[in-house]
Amino acid sequence: MMMYPDARTLLHGIIGHPVGHSLSPVFQNAAFSALGMNAVYLAFDVSPADLGDALRGVCALGIRGLSVTIPHKEAVIPFLDEVDGDAQSIGAVNTVLNRDGRLIGMNTDWQGAVQALESATSLAGKKVLVIGAGGAARAVCYGVTRKGAILHVANRTPEKARALAEAFGGTWSGLESLDRLNASILVNTTSVGMAPDVDCSPVPASVLEGVEVAMDIVYRPRETRLLREARAAGCRTVDGLAMLLHQGAAQFEIWTGRMAPVDIMEEALAKAISEKESA
Ligand code: NAP
């Protein structure tokens, strides 16, 4: 029986600020353990002022892979040796691979969103209504348009919806009159509905009529008010854990070159979130 960690343990982690709430260590470590790999994944709270030092530390300490979360997804770019095409198009990095001392920036958030949606429906030719125009919305818009969907972005601040829609060839609006759009897929990328404000929804329930699939990228609570109302309106629903899971599984595969044990990761994630919800 091998005893890990030891002097050969491969290091991975997440940098963010704050980062104490992150569920990524739970499911990444569950994956390493399920495959019997001598590897760990830790959480590092890195303030914006320390970001450059932290990235130099990644090279100096030989950390193999990093997840990057709020507020560093854009700020990390100047500290990397290379940024791949997906991350350049999205303008944000959520994954760093240390390839022989060169730091490569990538983005798996779009893959997480697309895989989560594709577990419920196809995207090509479908009208997708993306609510929100922040960082996560950019990854969702990139992903769905890459898969051939027709995009409409609606945001509280319409100018931001316009900039995002123009970047990805979609139409845009504020949050009013969305029920006339006849979208078949709706994705909430705003933080509206997130605990503790669980009674809020980004759009009135009338917008959900006729929608085939509704996804919320908020994952605390797992069933948001939007998803509850979507279920009542007869939509298929996809929760935010699915995106979190699939973006993390894609990261695991980038760092290790091995197929991610998605079922094990999902089980660990679902257990961690239900423990947090009942705490
Ligand atoms: P962000 O860049 O700060 O963008 C926030 C968005 O929410 C903006 O469009 C903002 O509209 C909108 N918004 C905030 N409060 C609102 C309100 N009261 N009414 C209407 N719109 C409001 O944040 P982000 O990085 O995109 O993250 C957004 C959410 O996604 C967070 O809850 C985050 O935890 C979650 N997320 C989940 C995953 C996952 O894997 N499941 C991945 C990434 C992010 P304005 O432009 O008008 O301010």
Side-chain angles (χ1 to χ4, degrees):
M1 175 87 174
M2 304 295 284
M3 293 295 286
Y4 300 142
D6 64 12
R8 290 164 199 258
T9 302
L10 292 169
L11 303 175
H12 307 77
I14 181 166
I15 56 168
H17 185 67
V19 85
H21 64 283
S22 175
L23 296 170
S24 296
V26 171
F27 69 93
Q28 296 291 3
N29 285 314
F32 290 136
S33 161
L35 297 188
M37 296 176 70
N38 186 2
V40 294
Y41 181 105
L42 304 167
F44 302 105
D45 191 327
V46 174
S47 73
D50 290 332
L51 186 58
D53 285 344
L55 270 293
R56 282 184 283 276
V58 167
C59 287
L61 298 173
I63 292 174
R64 185 169 62 166
L66 269 192
S67 307
V68 181
T69 190
I70 294 170
H72 302 316
K73 286 185 180 186
E74 292 167 27
V76 75
I77 290 175
F79 301 107
L80 304 175
D81 297 300
E82 196 179 317
V83 174
D84 80 359
D86 295 327
Q88 278 182 31
S89 300
I90 296 166
V93 161
N94 81 325
T95 309
V96 176
L97 172 67
N98 180 351
R99 187 183 285 149
D100 303 323
R102 279 179 63 76
L103 299 184
I104 323 285
M106 305 178 189
N107 192 305
T108 66
D109 279 333
W110 75 272
Q111 287 167 273
V114 162
Q115 282 177 28
L117 282 169
E118 285 182 339
S119 67
T121 189
S122 60
L123 289 163
K126 302 263 178 77
K127 190 178 229 182
V128 179
L129 165 57
V130 173
I131 315 280
R138 250 191 112 75
V140 171
C141 291
Y142 175 74
V144 298
T145 52
R146 200 179 144 146
K147 292 286 174 174
I150 301 155
L151 176 67
H152 183 91
V153 184
N155 193 47
R156 176 177 64 178
T157 310
E159 275 312 307
K160 286 202 212 161
R162 176 185 189 160
L164 183 53
E166 285 179 355
F168 294 106
T171 52
W172 60 278
S173 69
L175 292 175
E176 315 77 35
S177 309
L178 296 176
D179 33 4
R180 289 193 222 123
L181 265 182
N182 298 322
S184 36
I185 299 170
L186 179 150
V187 184
N188 174 42
T189 70
T190 75
S191 46
V192 178
M194 188 166 76
D197 298 319
V198 296
D199 287 334
C200 301
S201 174
V203 288
S206 58
V207 176
L208 294 159
E209 275 162 36
V211 166
E212 180 197 346
V213 172
M215 171 162 132
D216 201 333
I217 74 165
V218 169
Y219 53 82
R220 263 191 218 130
R222 198 164 172 180
E223 186 173 71
T224 56
R225 175 171 170 183
L226 175 76
L227 291 188
R228 206 164 53 245
E229 290 179 346
R231 196 160 44 83
C235 315
R236 288 201 292 287
T237 60
V238 181
D239 67 33
L241 275 199
M243 175 171 167
L244 184 65
L245 170 71
H246 289 294
Q247 64 79 33
Q251 294 183 321
F252 183 93
E253 292 179 359
I254 287 167
W255 299 323
T256 66
R258 296 184 64 172
M259 193 119 90
V262 178
D263 291 351
I264 303 269
M265 296 169 93
E266 184 171 17
E267 200 181 307
L269 196 48
K271 185 163 173 269
I273 197 104
S274 73
E275 281 170 7
K276 277 189 193 286
E277 282 182 358
S278 59

